[in-house]
């Protein structure tokens, strides 16, 4: 209980921020349809978000070092709120893309501050409980955010204002807390080559994870709209994906700690190809079957990033963990930036099922690459512990680093 109280301000800020930012993606899709945006233009909004996210991951540690945690958090929150409020002032997809860059910048910057603050305050004795609570707060709020779409009217001032209010409200817990602001850690260097040197398979794995997650979260509502789901049902469809991913963490962690992680990654990707085929097959079925397919899709695809990250950390020294986490996030961003726009173009050309066909091709490629890497070198016997890795900021490596023990 003392742990929850001491970190309550940080966790509450995470919850409010996640609900605000998580609800924006599906709302933009439905609003774009209502305003006559093309499918490609709607997909562009998702790519713009992850472009802003990448910029924020790189810039946030430096800004935090210049002005401190609280001021940096306030600046990034204001950027996100401005992007939200401006949506209904300029009804143009390219202007909205700039606004989504602002929302991505806000998410990356705020999570960087929160995770740096949390890392500075936890101890080795409470690190596991603190990070566990943090993940529950983040995933729980993500579930709620997807369900918000059932009560938010598309292309409405009120809807975007509500999300902006939640974004601004995330300022209050952190800026009003009496807990002393921690010292600012050095910004991690961004060395993408480090991930390639430690594990080419992990680098490809996180690219595929970025392709999958970003495409589904940003183009999934387009798919739902095309197969006849109502607005409220699209929210449940997206929430089923998040729920499936949350349910998969413990069993996948157990498998990744017990067996060769390369085989776990290969079989996960093979299962992902199967789940994509299942989703395509059930797309014309009942709503219940569509929701079930989304849950299975989340079960098979969500853990790919964490398993890939765990495999990469098996070959890293303790001094490299922060920079390795930043490098993996860089490759994740590559897949996440490209996939929403590309998926939306495919949907416009070939129909909604091409979204899952694209994802299936990505995972089939990961299976083949994994089999090739199996012949390149043996895995390490003294492996690190599996840790669920949120894709939130470059500084997540500091928070999780001490949990990875050989």
């Amino acid at each position: 209980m003392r742990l929850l109280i001491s970190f309550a301000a940080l966790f509450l800020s995470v919850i409010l921020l996640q609900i605000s930012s998580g609800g924006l993606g599906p709302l933009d899709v439905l609003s774009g349809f209502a305003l006559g945006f093309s499918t490609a233009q709607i997909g562009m909004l998702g790519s713009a978000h992850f472009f802003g996210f990448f910029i924020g991951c790189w810039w946030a540690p430096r800004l935090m070092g210049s002005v401190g945690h609280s001021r940096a958090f306030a600046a990034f929150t204001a950027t996100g709120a401005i992007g939200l409020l401006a949506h209904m002032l300029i009804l143009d997809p390219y202007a909205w893309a700039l606004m989504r860059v602002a929302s991505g910048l806000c998410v990356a910057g705020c999570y960087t501050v929160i995770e740096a603050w949390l890392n500075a305050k936890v101890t080795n004795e409470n690190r596991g409980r603190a990070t566990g609570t943090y993940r529950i707060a983040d995933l729980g709020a993500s579930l709620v955010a997807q369900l918000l779409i059932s009560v938010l009217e598309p292309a409405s001032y009120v809807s975007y204002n509500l999300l902006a209010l939640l974004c601004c409200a995330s300022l209050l817990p952190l800026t009003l807390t009496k807990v002393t602001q921690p010292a600012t850690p050095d910004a991690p260097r961004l060395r993408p080559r480090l991930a390639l040197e430690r594990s080419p398979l992990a680098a490809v794995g996180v690219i595929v994870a970025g392709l999958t997650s970003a495409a589904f979260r940003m183009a999934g509502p387009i798919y739902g709209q095309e197969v006849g789901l109502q607005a409220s049902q699209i929210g449940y469809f997206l929430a089923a994906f998040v729920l499936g991913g949350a349910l998969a963490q413990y069993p996948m962690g157990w498998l990744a700690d017990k067996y060769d992680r390369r085989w776990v990654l290969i079989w996960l990707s093979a299962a992902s190809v199967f789940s994509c085929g299942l989703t395509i097959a059930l797309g014309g079925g009942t709503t219940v079957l569509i929701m079930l397919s989304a849950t299975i899709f989340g079960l098979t695809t969500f853990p790919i990033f964490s398993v890939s990250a765990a495999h990469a950390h098996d070959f890293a020294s303790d001094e490299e963990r922060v920079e390795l986490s930043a490098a993996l996030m860089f490759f994740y961003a590559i897949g996440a930036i490209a996939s929403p726009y590309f998926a939306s173009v495919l949907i416009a050309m070939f129909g909604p099922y091409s979204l899952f066909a694209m994802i299936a091709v990505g995972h089939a490629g990961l299976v083949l690459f994994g089999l090739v890497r199996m012949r390149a070198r043996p895995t390490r016997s003294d492996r690190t512990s599996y840790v669920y890795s949120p894709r939130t900021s470059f500084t997540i490596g500091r928070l999780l680093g001490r949990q990875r023990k050989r």
Side-chain angles (χ1 to χ4, degrees):
M1 183 59 69
R2 289 181 180 177
L3 175 72
L4 294 177
I5 293 173
S6 63
F7 293 126
L10 292 176
F11 295 148
L12 184 54
S13 290
V14 166
I15 291 170
L16 292 170
L17 180 67
Q18 179 62 269
I19 293 175
S20 172
S21 61
L24 178 59
L27 178 61
D28 266 359
V29 172
L30 298 182
S31 298
F33 277 123
L35 296 171
F37 295 175
S38 70
T39 302
Q41 289 170 337
I42 293 173
M44 175 184 64
L45 302 180
S47 293
H49 171 86
F50 283 102
F51 180 69
F53 175 83
F54 174 76
I55 295 174
C57 283
W58 177 83
W59 183 39
R62 291 154 181 81
L63 180 64
M64 193 168 56
S66 300
V67 302
H69 292 65
S70 295
R71 289 180 178 177
F73 190 87
F76 285 118
T77 304
T79 302
I82 291 170
L84 285 164
L85 291 170
H87 268 71
M88 297 309 296
L89 296 178
I90 309 174
L91 303 181
D92 178 81
Y94 299 101
W96 279 28
L98 291 176
M99 299 169 199
R100 290 305 302 271
V101 171
S103 72
L105 190 68
C106 166
V107 171
C110 289
Y111 270 105
T112 297
V113 173
I114 289 169
E115 288 168 1
W117 199 317
L118 186 60
N119 179 68
K121 296 299 181 181
V122 296
T123 64
N124 288 337
E125 289 72 26
N126 63 23
R127 183 176 296 272
R129 286 175 292 153
T131 54
T133 306
Y134 172 62
R135 293 166 191 143
I136 291 171
D138 184 55
L139 281 172
S142 180
L143 274 171
V144 173
Q146 310 312 312
L147 299 176
L148 265 185
I149 200 64
S150 62
V151 297
L152 295 177
E153 181 183 351
S156 165
Y157 278 107
V158 173
S159 298
Y160 285 101
N161 284 359
L162 176 60
L163 294 182
L165 287 172
L166 290 170
C167 183
C168 292
S170 68
L171 265 170
L172 301 177
L174 191 140
T175 54
L176 295 179
T177 181
K178 295 181 180 179
V179 177
T180 305
Q181 184 170 279
T184 304
D186 294 333
R189 289 184 298 169
L190 182 55
R191 292 197 295 155
R193 187 176 176 180
L194 179 63
L196 293 173
E197 291 173 347
R198 295 298 170 266
S199 175
L201 177 59
V204 173
V206 296
I207 290 174
V208 173
L211 178 149
T212 301
S213 179
F216 185 84
R217 287 176 180 269
M218 301 301 176
I222 302 176
Y223 169 85
Q225 184 94 345
E226 294 286 337
V227 299
L229 294 179
Q230 302 300 316
S232 59
Q233 294 171 330
I234 290 175
Y236 286 113
F237 179 66
L238 297 174
F241 166 74
V242 177
L243 178 62
L247 294 175
Q249 292 307 318
Y250 180 80
M252 287 304 107
W254 182 82
L255 289 171
D257 282 342
K258 187 173 179 62
Y259 299 103
D260 188 330
R261 285 170 179 163
R262 296 172 299 179
W263 279 119
V264 174
L265 195 58
I266 289 169
W267 282 108
L268 260 179
S269 285
S272 299
V273 174
F274 169 79
S275 68
C276 287
L278 182 67
T279 304
I280 293 172
L282 298 179
T286 65
T287 301
V288 173
L289 289 176
I290 293 174
M291 300 302 170
L292 178 62
S293 69
T295 305
I296 296 173
F297 180 74
L299 276 166
T300 56
T301 60
F302 211 93
I304 294 288
F305 182 93
S306 294
V307 175
S308 299
H311 179 61
H313 280 278
D314 287 343
F315 298 93
S317 64
D318 290 339
E319 294 75 21
E320 294 174 330
R321 301 209 185 282
V322 174
E323 292 184 357
L324 178 58
S325 295
L328 292 173
M329 282 291 297
F330 169 81
F331 284 107
Y332 175 84
I334 289 176
I337 291 170
S339 64
Y341 178 75
F342 188 52
S344 65
V345 170
L346 289 177
I347 291 174
M349 295 176 61
F350 303 108
Y353 301 111
S354 59
L355 166 64
F356 292 98
M358 180 195 79
I359 295 172
V361 170
H363 283 279
L366 182 56
V367 169
L368 293 176
F369 189 70
L371 292 173
V372 170
R373 291 300 303 172
M374 289 287 292
R375 302 170 62 90
R377 65 177 176 184
T379 192
R380 293 193 60 152
S381 57
D382 56 335
R383 295 179 297 170
T384 59
S385 301
Y386 173 89
V387 177
Y388 162 56
S389 303
R391 286 85 81 185
T392 45
S393 79
F394 282 1
T395 60
I396 191 67
R398 298 186 190 278
L399 186 57
L400 302 180
R402 295 177 192 174
Q403 289 186 271
R404 300 187 186 276
K405 299 178 180 177
R406 285 200 170 93

